Amino acid sequence: MAASLSGMTTLSTPRPVRLLNISNLYPSPSQVRLLPCGARRCTRLVVRSTPSEIANKVSESIKNAEETCADDPKAGECVAAWDEVEELSAAASHARDKNKGKDPLEEYCKDNPETNECRTYED
Amino acid sequence: MAICTVHTTPSLSMPNTHLHQRQVIFFTSARRNQFFRGQNRAFTVSCSADAKTVVIGLAADSGCGKSTFMRRLTSVFGGAAEPPKGGNPDSNTLISDTTTVICLDDYHSLDRTGRKEKGVTALDPRANDFDLMYEQVKALKEGKAVDKPIYNHVTGLLDPPEVIQPPKILVIEGLHPMFDERVRDLLDFSIYLDISNEVKFAWKIQRDMAERGHSLESIKASIEARKPDFDAFIDPQKKYADAVIEVLPTQLIPGDNEGKVLRVRLIQKEGLKHFSPVYLFDEGSTISWIPCGRKLTCSYPGIKFAYGPETYFSNEVSVLEMDGQFDRLDELIYVESHLSNLSSKFYGEVTQQMLKHSDFPGSNNGTGLFQTIIGLKIRDLYEQIVAERATATAEAAKV
């Protein structure tokens, strides 16, 4: 196995190797943010955005809180509504952090181990 | 002496409450070949401390760094803390080899709809079941497993319970660890993260501005709506804490409101049995120290330390304060070499821990530094308690 990887030094422990098919990997547009191009280079920053389920919940709860508080900002319902916004924002932030560590290839291969990208070679 | 109990998760087939000091169970691995990859049918072998678990409480408002603190703390003890395998994916619990972290939100008595109906926030004690909290923390402390409910933050509902085995170190983190007196008495050490309003606002902006639907006004409204409940129920807990990490805006940059450079104060209670406060140069005196100078060059705005005895809510405390940022590794190591009573096991341990998690927020200022130091202090406290119990049982055995 080491011989077929040209230019690489012999690995002490043979590790499974996957062939990469990039097209499945490239993140969808909603997850890619283009940083403004500076004088020297344009950097493309891939940001893991919040999973859409939680993101929707957050924006809905904000709308709900604004409506509830339009009548009486001091009422219990208004306070509870903003507390819900806070709770959901915290959950969204945790979900973002969890997704930061995830490798898209590993995720894909968990569900589709038989595809070409996910074939493993162990000597 | 440790007792190792073997049980299949999640059932409780081994009654571990009846095992006393002198029994050690050896588990032979006859069945090890039958563990298939991908299947999580593992036998878990957990070794719990002789008599009881050490319980640590951590209190802070939402979005104030509890999760970061937890990750640093579990890292000091070794091993990564992960949610329980094979259980509810939305579980808030984290388990590592030595530590289990329980989120006190699991003891909400009202779920999100219930709170909305009653017009009550999660900060309100009426939304929490303190009796259940006390019972379960007490049971875990005595070495008994419990069925702890799960509060699902995504759906806002109370999910079916999960089994929690008693660990060596139990950390309870949330809004109210020190609110109920009975629970407070069970804690071996308690920490409160006190974030000032300006810094809280800046942190929440950083966290939420990228979120669709949020705006500066909505973030501000959210903080202000929760403030009365926070001041009434959460803030008073800080007088009971053994250590308070207070985060304030910096004094080094006049008029700074970005919240990037922070002034952090570690307020440590004096006179505690297993906790000796960290100090600078001379214990009990008042010191003001700027490490930047001939030996160390720092970039703007630099670093400033202060240390001294104070009174905090009529308790004697020692306060260690850091204002500014670390830019380079040698600044950190230089500072560490001048602090005393760190409870580190080798020179440079604090720096090593900070570097291990250099991607965590606060890794370049006092928040990360003091969280790491408190982590080492807790490890020291745990070892002292375990040693004490071991000698106590040895004495009892001799008699």
Side-chain angles (χ1 to χ4, degrees), chain A residues 36-115:
Chain A
C37 292
R40 285 183 210 125
R41 61 184 195 277
C42 283
T43 45
R44 188 168 211 150
L45 178 72
V46 177
V47 172
R48 294 269 169 268
S49 52
T50 325
S52 51
E53 180 202 333
I54 305 183
N56 288 335
K57 283 206 167 126
V58 173
S59 38
E60 269 170 40
S61 67
I62 297 174
K63 259 185 248 153
N64 179 29
E66 282 167 352
E67 281 164 25
T68 322
C69 293
D71 330 314
D72 182 8
K74 292 273 189 281
E77 288 83 27
C78 171
V79 177
W82 282 119
D83 187 45
E84 187 184 329
V85 169
E86 169 60 39
E87 189 189 340
L88 285 166
S89 306
S93 159
H94 287 147
R96 268 196 302 263
D97 286 340
K98 248 207 284 189
N99 282 344
K100 233 195 278 181
K102 283 196 192 150
D103 181 356
L105 178 61
E106 293 298 327
E107 291 295 309
Y108 177 71
C109 288
K110 261 188 227 167
D111 301 325
N112 310 288
E114 71 290 348
T115 49

Side-chain angles (χ1 to χ4, degrees), chain B residues 249-352:
Chain B
T250 182
Q251 289 177 330
L252 299 174
I253 305 175
D256 172 67
N257 61 353
E258 274 183 44
K260 291 272 161 67
V261 183
L262 297 170
R263 175 172 162 232
V264 190
R265 306 180 74 219
L266 177 61
I267 300 168
Q268 308 163 90
K269 206 181 251 183
E270 285 285 353
L272 292 175
K273 199 170 174 204
H274 301 291
F275 175 67
S276 45
V278 181
Y279 66 88
L280 191 56
F281 176 55
D282 181 21
E283 203 170 3
S285 32
T286 306
I287 313 273
S288 173
W289 180 46
I290 298 177
C292 315
R294 290 200 198 111
K295 278 196 236 168
L296 187 72
T297 36
C298 317
S299 43
Y300 184 76
I303 307 173
K304 182 161 178 235
F305 272 86
Y307 165 76
E310 281 180 28
T311 317
Y312 186 75
F313 291 104
S314 57
N315 290 321
E316 291 293 312
V317 295
S318 297
V319 181
L320 177 64
E321 180 183 318
M322 172 179 162
D323 197 352
Q325 276 182 191
F326 295 116
D327 276 319
R328 296 189 327 271
L329 176 60
D330 46 338
E331 288 172 13
L332 188 46
I333 251 279
Y334 189 82
V335 162
E336 182 182 352
S337 61
H338 287 83
L339 290 169
S340 313
N341 241 348
L342 285 172
S343 303
S344 55
K345 297 222 159 130
F346 52 86
Y347 175 68
E349 190 176 11
V350 174
T351 306
Q352 189 202 58

Side-chain angles (χ1 to χ4, degrees), chain B residues 57-188:
Chain B
L58 174 64
D61 192 10
S62 166
C64 288
K66 289 195 293 290
S67 309
T68 315
F69 194 161
M70 282 301 98
R71 286 189 283 170
R72 284 193 204 275
L73 186 59
T74 45
S75 159
V76 163
F77 287 107
E82 280 154 6
K85 292 191 167 57
N88 187 334
D90 290 322
S91 163
N92 304 309
T93 314
L94 295 174
I95 302 187
S96 77
D97 316 320
T98 45
T99 322
T100 294
V101 182
I102 286 184
C103 177
L104 292 178
D105 286 346
D106 291 332
Y107 293 109
H108 280 331
S109 49
L110 300 170
D111 64 7
R112 207 177 283 159
T113 350
R115 276 179 273 143
K116 218 190 291 199
E117 282 166 18
K118 292 214 169 149
V120 143
T121 61
L123 305 162
D124 198 313
R126 285 175 286 168
N128 297 286
D129 187 351
F130 289 105
D131 293 328
L132 184 63
M133 194 194 290
Y134 167 63
E135 259 173 52
Q136 294 204 335
V137 175
K138 182 155 176 282
L140 283 169
K141 187 161 183 170
E142 289 169 359
K144 304 186 197 121
V146 299
D147 272 325
K148 181 189 64 72
I150 299 179
Y151 177 77
N152 190 320
H153 281 104
V154 177
T155 60
L157 303 168
L158 285 162
D159 286 347
E162 62 184 347
V163 179
I164 303 289
Q165 299 296 338
K168 288 193 203 156
I169 300 168
L170 175 69
V171 183
I172 56 173
E173 57 103 352
L175 299 163
H176 306 96
M178 296 170 258
F179 185 83
D180 187 272
E181 195 177 345
R182 302 165 294 176
V183 180
R184 213 186 304 150
D185 291 335
L186 291 172
L187 299 176
D188 292 301

